[in-house]
Amino acid sequence: MAKNYVLTGCIPIGYGGLTTALLNRSAQISSVSKEPVKILTFRDREFPQAISQHLAERNGLRNGVTVTNIYDWLREYELTSGGVAFDENKHKYSSVELNAENSTLDIENGIILRQLISEKNLNGWAQVNHLRKDGTIAVIDNRRNGQRNIISCNKQGKPQRVFSYSWPFYHAWLDTLFGKEYIDIIVDNDHEARFLTDYQRPNISIIHYFHGTHCNDKNEVLPYAEFVFSRLDRFDLFVFPTFSQCYHAQQMFPHYSGFSYVPHALPSNNNSGNIERVAKSFVVASRLEPIKRLDHAILAIGEAN
């Protein structure tokens, strides 16, 4: 049986509906498949203990579901593939003391997670060093010259592999994790879906769970969705939460046979008592934006009452 992985950017503190749906879906997949889902995140400035505590407080991880961030993983392990070998004559980076004036530290419960290095006349951070508990460097993220140059290090902190941008760096991590095992990936974040269009492996199936509206009233794909919709063949399945979205996409792209729909997962109801419903009384919790279609919700609940 294939192992199940879910890819997303991060699990934010105070997460909302989409992340809740992702966590519920992961818990249900784990329950049905008897194979715990592993959620992989890629944000480069995480505070792992705070996120773990937040998930525990909200009972976000159930049925064996786990969350692993790429940089947290690299503090414990090494990449086994990808990139080019580090060459000190070609690949440059700065070594700056932790207490230097241009050095900012991300610290969580006394542990230094990152050193962020600034330079004059440069917006943002010039370099980010992701550190291990023993102080050695796990990853060097050199952001000079308007592009990222990512260097992974061995457990002694010695530079080992170099990636010219983030996509092959992410691919190398996935290859290291997956090896030759059969893997089903579910991705529901636009950024991660983009770099997966360039990740094709014979033992990997990629499922894109697409949340948002994909087209306008003129049947034109919206700009933010153009990238993935122009590469539908890179996904084994392309799933929507509603039938109407799926049907509309099938009409727009009849050459692609991988469209499907699966409603958002809901947590199981453990309330064994009878729930008393009050007629014509309801609550809608949502931000006031057109995309939320509150008028549809009001009409639907009105008909139900």
Side-chain angles (χ1 to χ4, degrees):
M1 178 181 291
K3 293 187 176 181
N4 302 303
Y5 284 80
V6 170
L7 273 59
T8 191
C10 65
I11 306 294
I13 300 295
Y15 60 81
L18 293 183
T19 301
T20 299
L22 178 150
L23 295 172
N24 289 339
R25 183 168 59 248
S26 299
Q28 290 190 5
I29 292 173
S30 295
S31 176
V32 172
S33 68
K34 309 302 180 184
E35 179 67 43
V37 168
K38 298 177 176 63
I39 300 174
L40 306 180
T41 67
F42 297 82
R43 186 179 179 184
D44 61 356
R45 205 172 178 185
E46 293 279 28
F47 290 86
Q49 293 182 38
I51 293 171
S52 295
Q53 180 179 348
H54 186 61
L55 285 165
E57 291 170 351
R58 297 182 61 174
N59 194 27
L61 301 181
R62 304 180 302 279
N63 299 339
V65 176
T66 58
V67 177
T68 302
N69 176 266
I70 180 173
Y71 297 96
D72 293 333
W73 188 90
L74 286 167
R75 291 186 177 96
E76 303 291 336
Y77 306 97
E78 298 177 17
L79 296 178
T80 59
S81 64
V84 298
F86 176 80
D87 184 337
E88 63 181 8
N89 296 315
K90 295 180 180 179
H91 307 123
K92 304 297 182 181
Y93 64 95
S94 297
S95 295
V96 177
E97 294 293 331
L98 294 179
N99 60 356
E101 289 186 3
N102 65 331
S103 172
T104 300
L105 303 180
D106 278 349
I107 303 175
E108 185 177 48
N109 295 335
I111 299 174
I112 301 175
L113 301 176
R114 283 169 292 275
Q115 179 190 30
L116 303 102
I117 301 170
S118 61
E119 292 182 358
K120 293 181 179 179
N121 303 319
L122 185 64
N123 292 325
W125 304 112
Q127 182 176 312
V128 178
N129 296 332
H130 298 265
L131 306 178
R132 297 187 176 93
K133 290 182 181 179
D134 63 3
T136 58
I137 298 177
V139 180
I140 301 168
D141 189 350
N142 187 347
R143 305 180 180 188
R144 299 172 180 86
N145 303 321
Q147 62 183 21
R148 297 175 71 180
N149 193 42
I150 302 172
I151 304 170
S152 66
C153 303
N154 62 19
K155 291 184 178 181
Q156 289 72 46
K158 183 178 179 181
Q160 192 172 36
R161 301 176 184 273
V162 182
F163 303 86
S164 58
Y165 63 108
S166 60
W167 285 19
F169 174 57
Y170 299 153
H171 295 167
W173 184 44
L174 298 181
D175 284 340
T176 300
L177 288 176
F178 300 158
K180 300 299 182 181
E181 292 187 283
Y182 288 99
I183 304 294
D184 288 338
I185 294 176
I186 301 174
V187 57
D188 67 351
N189 181 283
D190 181 64
H191 177 264
E192 280 65 46
R194 286 172 176 250
F195 78 70
L196 285 177
T197 60
D198 201 27
Y199 184 71
Q200 304 294 304
R201 304 291 187 271
N203 56 315
I204 308 293
S205 296
I206 301 176
I207 303 165
H208 188 5
Y209 195 99
F210 191 87
H211 295 282
T213 302
H214 63 280
C215 67
N216 57 25
D217 294 337
K218 299 179 181 179
N219 282 344
E220 298 169 336
V221 175
L222 296 174
Y224 85 96
E226 286 180 350
F227 190 92
V228 293
F229 274 88
S230 64
R231 297 164 174 79
L232 289 173
D233 61 309
R234 310 295 175 86
F235 301 98
D236 297 277
L237 282 175
F238 204 98
V239 182
F240 297 93
T242 68
F243 170 79
S244 60
Q245 288 174 292
C246 178
Y247 179 77
H248 199 182
Q250 288 173 332
Q251 302 305 304
M252 293 179 64
F253 302 94
H255 64 281
Y256 180 69
S257 60
F259 290 123
S260 186
Y261 73 97
V262 177
H264 281 310
L266 298 174
S268 57
N269 185 4
N270 296 321
N271 191 331
S272 57
N274 294 325
I275 300 175
E276 181 180 353
R277 296 188 61 213
V278 179
K280 298 183 179 179
S281 149
F282 58 88
V283 174
V284 177
S286 174
R287 65 180 188 268
L288 297 178
E289 293 184 10
I291 194 173
K292 294 301 181 181
R293 299 181 178 180
L294 293 181
D295 54 334
H296 291 199
I298 293 171
L299 288 172
I301 296 173
E303 290 184 8
N305 284 279

PDB file of all heavy atoms in Angstrom, residues 197-210:
ATOM      1  N   THR A 197       4.883  20.326 -10.151  1.00  0.00           N
ATOM      2  CA  THR A 197       4.727  20.129 -11.595  1.00  0.00           C
ATOM      3  C   THR A 197       6.054  19.739 -12.240  1.00  0.00           C
ATOM      4  O   THR A 197       6.064  19.211 -13.351  1.00  0.00           O
ATOM      5  CB  THR A 197       4.192  21.405 -12.283  1.00  0.00           C
ATOM      6  OG1 THR A 197       5.110  22.489 -12.079  1.00  0.00           O
ATOM      7  CG2 THR A 197       2.819  21.789 -11.748  1.00  0.00           C
ATOM      8  N   ASP A 198       7.139  19.983 -11.532  1.00  0.00           N
ATOM      9  CA  ASP A 198       8.470  19.640 -12.039  1.00  0.00           C
ATOM     10  C   ASP A 198       9.064  18.452 -11.282  1.00  0.00           C
ATOM     11  O   ASP A 198      10.274  18.232 -11.320  1.00  0.00           O
ATOM     12  CB  ASP A 198       9.390  20.865 -11.911  1.00  0.00           C
ATOM     13  CG  ASP A 198      10.586  20.786 -12.836  1.00  0.00           C
ATOM     14  OD1 ASP A 198      10.481  20.132 -13.881  1.00  0.00           O
ATOM     15  OD2 ASP A 198      11.630  21.383 -12.502  1.00  0.00           O
ATOM     16  N   TYR A 199       8.182  17.702 -10.586  1.00  0.00           N
ATOM     17  CA  TYR A 199       8.636  16.570  -9.792  1.00  0.00           C
ATOM     18  C   TYR A 199       7.918  15.313 -10.278  1.00  0.00           C
ATOM     19  O   TYR A 199       6.802  15.011  -9.851  1.00  0.00           O
ATOM     20  CB  TYR A 199       8.337  16.814  -8.311  1.00  0.00           C
ATOM     21  CG  TYR A 199       8.864  15.740  -7.375  1.00  0.00           C
ATOM     22  CD1 TYR A 199      10.222  15.603  -7.143  1.00  0.00           C
ATOM     23  CD2 TYR A 199       7.983  14.881  -6.715  1.00  0.00           C
ATOM     24  CE1 TYR A 199      10.697  14.622  -6.278  1.00  0.00           C
ATOM     25  CE2 TYR A 199       8.452  13.904  -5.848  1.00  0.00           C
ATOM     26  CZ  TYR A 199       9.809  13.777  -5.643  1.00  0.00           C
ATOM     27  OH  TYR A 199      10.296  12.806  -4.788  1.00  0.00           O
ATOM     28  N   GLN A 200       8.539  14.585 -11.169  1.00  0.00           N
ATOM     29  CA  GLN A 200       7.937  13.380 -11.749  1.00  0.00           C
ATOM     30  C   GLN A 200       8.797  12.169 -11.395  1.00  0.00           C
ATOM     31  O   GLN A 200       9.968  12.103 -11.764  1.00  0.00           O
ATOM     32  CB  GLN A 200       7.826  13.526 -13.270  1.00  0.00           C
ATOM     33  CG  GLN A 200       7.049  14.772 -13.716  1.00  0.00           C
ATOM     34  CD  GLN A 200       5.585  14.716 -13.318  1.00  0.00           C
ATOM     35  OE1 GLN A 200       4.869  13.784 -13.661  1.00  0.00           O
ATOM     36  NE2 GLN A 200       5.143  15.729 -12.578  1.00  0.00           N
ATOM     37  N   ARG A 201       8.202  11.226 -10.646  1.00  0.00           N
ATOM     38  CA  ARG A 201       8.904  10.011 -10.251  1.00  0.00           C
ATOM     39  C   ARG A 201       7.975   8.827 -10.505  1.00  0.00           C
ATOM     40  O   ARG A 201       6.759   8.917 -10.283  1.00  0.00           O
ATOM     41  CB  ARG A 201       9.294  10.055  -8.770  1.00  0.00           C
ATOM     42  CG  ARG A 201      10.140  11.275  -8.356  1.00  0.00           C
ATOM     43  CD  ARG A 201      11.536  11.219  -8.939  1.00  0.00           C
ATOM     44  NE  ARG A 201      12.391  12.281  -8.419  1.00  0.00           N
ATOM     45  CZ  ARG A 201      12.507  13.492  -8.950  1.00  0.00           C
ATOM     46  NH1 ARG A 201      11.798  13.813 -10.033  1.00  0.00           N
ATOM     47  NH2 ARG A 201      13.337  14.386  -8.425  1.00  0.00           N
ATOM     48  N   PRO A 202       8.503   7.677 -10.953  1.00  0.00           N
ATOM     49  CA  PRO A 202       7.633   6.530 -11.275  1.00  0.00           C
ATOM     50  C   PRO A 202       6.898   5.954 -10.080  1.00  0.00           C
ATOM     51  O   PRO A 202       5.860   5.298 -10.249  1.00  0.00           O
ATOM     52  CB  PRO A 202       8.614   5.512 -11.871  1.00  0.00           C
ATOM     53  CG  PRO A 202       9.961   5.908 -11.354  1.00  0.00           C
ATOM     54  CD  PRO A 202       9.924   7.389 -11.250  1.00  0.00           C
ATOM     55  N   ASN A 203       7.396   6.177  -8.872  1.00  0.00           N
ATOM     56  CA  ASN A 203       6.777   5.615  -7.669  1.00  0.00           C
ATOM     57  C   ASN A 203       5.905   6.635  -6.925  1.00  0.00           C
ATOM     58  O   ASN A 203       5.427   6.360  -5.820  1.00  0.00           O
ATOM     59  CB  ASN A 203       7.851   5.094  -6.708  1.00  0.00           C
ATOM     60  CG  ASN A 203       8.872   6.157  -6.331  1.00  0.00           C
ATOM     61  OD1 ASN A 203       9.364   6.885  -7.194  1.00  0.00           O
ATOM     62  ND2 ASN A 203       9.204   6.249  -5.057  1.00  0.00           N
ATOM     63  N   ILE A 204       5.686   7.802  -7.533  1.00  0.00           N
ATOM     64  CA  ILE A 204       4.957   8.880  -6.861  1.00  0.00           C
ATOM     65  C   ILE A 204       3.687   9.229  -7.628  1.00  0.00           C
ATOM     66  O   ILE A 204       3.709   9.433  -8.844  1.00  0.00           O
ATOM     67  CB  ILE A 204       5.822  10.153  -6.752  1.00  0.00           C
ATOM     68  CG1 ILE A 204       7.181   9.840  -6.124  1.00  0.00           C
ATOM     69  CG2 ILE A 204       5.089  11.233  -5.975  1.00  0.00           C
ATOM     70  CD1 ILE A 204       7.129   9.417  -4.690  1.00  0.00           C
ATOM     71  N   SER A 205       2.555   9.294  -6.921  1.00  0.00           N
ATOM     72  CA  SER A 205       1.305   9.818  -7.475  1.00  0.00           C
ATOM     73  C   SER A 205       1.022  11.159  -6.814  1.00  0.00           C
ATOM     74  O   SER A 205       1.151  11.300  -5.594  1.00  0.00           O
ATOM     75  CB  SER A 205       0.139   8.858  -7.214  1.00  0.00           C
ATOM     76  OG  SER A 205       0.338   7.624  -7.881  1.00  0.00           O
ATOM     77  N   ILE A 206       0.623  12.146  -7.629  1.00  0.00           N
ATOM     78  CA  ILE A 206       0.411  13.506  -7.121  1.00  0.00           C
ATOM     79  C   ILE A 206      -1.048  13.898  -7.309  1.00  0.00           C
ATOM     80  O   ILE A 206      -1.572  13.858  -8.424  1.00  0.00           O
ATOM     81  CB  ILE A 206       1.338  14.511  -7.823  1.00  0.00           C
ATOM     82  CG1 ILE A 206       2.797  14.125  -7.599  1.00  0.00           C
ATOM     83  CG2 ILE A 206       1.076  15.927  -7.292  1.00  0.00           C
ATOM     84  CD1 ILE A 206       3.783  15.006  -8.333  1.00  0.00           C
ATOM     85  N   ILE A 207      -1.690  14.263  -6.220  1.00  0.00           N
ATOM     86  CA  ILE A 207      -3.088  14.669  -6.222  1.00  0.00           C
ATOM     87  C   ILE A 207      -3.167  16.126  -5.776  1.00  0.00           C
ATOM     88  O   ILE A 207      -2.701  16.466  -4.684  1.00  0.00           O
ATOM     89  CB  ILE A 207      -3.921  13.791  -5.259  1.00  0.00           C
ATOM     90  CG1 ILE A 207      -3.780  12.321  -5.637  1.00  0.00           C
ATOM     91  CG2 ILE A 207      -5.388  14.226  -5.257  1.00  0.00           C
ATOM     92  CD1 ILE A 207      -4.245  11.365  -4.550  1.00  0.00           C
ATOM     93  N   HIS A 208      -3.743  16.969  -6.614  1.00  0.00           N
ATOM     94  CA  HIS A 208      -3.905  18.379  -6.259  1.00  0.00           C
ATOM     95  C   HIS A 208      -5.335  18.610  -5.792  1.00  0.00           C
ATOM     96  O   HIS A 208      -6.285  18.405  -6.549  1.00  0.00           O
ATOM     97  CB  HIS A 208      -3.585  19.266  -7.473  1.00  0.00           C
ATOM     98  CG  HIS A 208      -3.536  20.736  -7.142  1.00  0.00           C
ATOM     99  ND1 HIS A 208      -3.649  21.231  -5.863  1.00  0.00           N
ATOM    100  CD2 HIS A 208      -3.388  21.825  -7.943  1.00  0.00           C
ATOM    101  CE1 HIS A 208      -3.562  22.551  -5.891  1.00  0.00           C
ATOM    102  NE2 HIS A 208      -3.417  22.935  -7.133  1.00  0.00           N
ATOM    103  N   TYR A 209      -5.474  19.015  -4.531  1.00  0.00           N
ATOM    104  CA  TYR A 209      -6.795  19.374  -3.994  1.00  0.00           C
ATOM    105  C   TYR A 209      -6.921  20.890  -4.136  1.00  0.00           C
ATOM    106  O   TYR A 209      -6.299  21.645  -3.396  1.00  0.00           O
ATOM    107  CB  TYR A 209      -6.923  18.934  -2.544  1.00  0.00           C
ATOM    108  CG  TYR A 209      -8.347  18.930  -2.034  1.00  0.00           C
ATOM    109  CD1 TYR A 209      -9.072  17.743  -1.984  1.00  0.00           C
ATOM    110  CD2 TYR A 209      -8.974  20.097  -1.613  1.00  0.00           C
ATOM    111  CE1 TYR A 209     -10.378  17.718  -1.518  1.00  0.00           C
ATOM    112  CE2 TYR A 209     -10.268  20.086  -1.158  1.00  0.00           C
ATOM    113  CZ  TYR A 209     -10.973  18.900  -1.106  1.00  0.00           C
ATOM    114  OH  TYR A 209     -12.272  18.886  -0.656  1.00  0.00           O
ATOM    115  N   PHE A 210      -7.742  21.316  -5.089  1.00  0.00           N
ATOM    116  CA  PHE A 210      -7.812  22.731  -5.461  1.00  0.00           C
ATOM    117  C   PHE A 210      -9.005  23.385  -4.778  1.00  0.00           C
ATOM    118  O   PHE A 210     -10.158  23.053  -5.051  1.00  0.00           O
ATOM    119  CB  PHE A 210      -7.925  22.858  -6.989  1.00  0.00           C
ATOM    120  CG  PHE A 210      -7.732  24.251  -7.507  1.00  0.00           C
ATOM    121  CD1 PHE A 210      -6.462  24.726  -7.799  1.00  0.00           C
ATOM    122  CD2 PHE A 210      -8.813  25.099  -7.690  1.00  0.00           C
ATOM    123  CE1 PHE A 210      -6.276  26.014  -8.278  1.00  0.00           C
ATOM    124  CE2 PHE A 210      -8.638  26.387  -8.165  1.00  0.00           C
ATOM    125  CZ  PHE A 210      -7.367  26.851  -8.461  1.00  0.00           C
TER     126      PHE A 210
END
